[in-house]
Amino acid sequence: MQQHTLAAEITQIGVGLHSGVSTQVRILPAEAGSGRYFVRVDLPDLPIIPAQVAAVSHTVLSTQLGKGEVSVRTVEHLLAALSGMGVDNARIEIDGPELPLLDGSASVWTANIAQVGLVSQPVNNQVPLVVTEPISVYQGDAFVSALPAPETRFSYGIDFDLPAIGNQWHSWSLTAEQGTTSASFAAEIAPARTFGLLHQIEHLQKTGLIKGGSLDNALVCGPEGWLNPPLRFANEPVRHKILDLVGDLSLLGTFPIAHFLAYKASHNLHIQLAQKILDWGF
């Protein structure tokens, strides 16, 4: 088996969606078997936060990882880009509490990764988990499942009362050939931007969230349609949900061979499924 890390470092600066704080991120090559992990370089002793399910500390409108009193928020887009582009091992240094939202998608990250390229790292005895029975979590009519399948696939459905969104479905396969996977992820999933509903924005702002949100880094939808078209895909919102799901399930370290099927789910349900998969077989 082979793992991969970056061939060179990546640096990016931007504003966090919820905190509104500008941070700098440096993504560095890491040793085989070390996984993806964050380092808070702005804090004494440079605390390390592993990108693992056990480190999840918060899942309201983003995924937050923590260790003790130290945390890093809105990690899902970067982690989706790293895992979708085949980066198994990476040291992610950040000088603040939240990852930059950038344009609301993972396109900047995937472009950076493609630009520097990857380095192969031989490893021993790495056998992917194969899901052999359905594993599911539910909340009302929302659910996310891992189903037995011959390949790793992510399928998602959403349903909103707003006519511009409505009912949308999309499915994307993580193919076995690394180059194909990277190109497919970068073209089909990474460009999909985060989206919000106009009638929820005031409430979210009053509760101290989305301080860094704007029409430049998030799609906003109201009763009359999108406030900031055009969309990059006709079903861009549901593709973004796949982006979030890929990022959240990347906390497993490697993706099990399974069909991940979600409907109206959330970061919380994504993480619940990841934990259930760990309890089942990892």
Side-chain angles (χ1 to χ4, degrees), residues 40-65:
R40 283 288 302 271
V41 296
D42 58 317
L43 298 176
D45 302 322
L46 306 180
I48 292 173
I49 305 171
Q52 297 174 358
V53 176
V56 174
S57 58
H58 196 70
T59 54
V60 177
L61 295 182
S62 67
T63 299
Q64 176 176 299
L65 304 176

Side-chain angles (χ1 to χ4, degrees), residues 67-90:
K67 188 175 183 181
E69 298 299 312
V70 180
S71 64
V72 60
R73 188 172 191 177
T74 318
V75 299
E76 59 270 17
H77 298 170
L78 173 56
L79 292 179
L82 290 169
S83 57
M85 297 292 283
V87 181
D88 302 288
N89 305 299

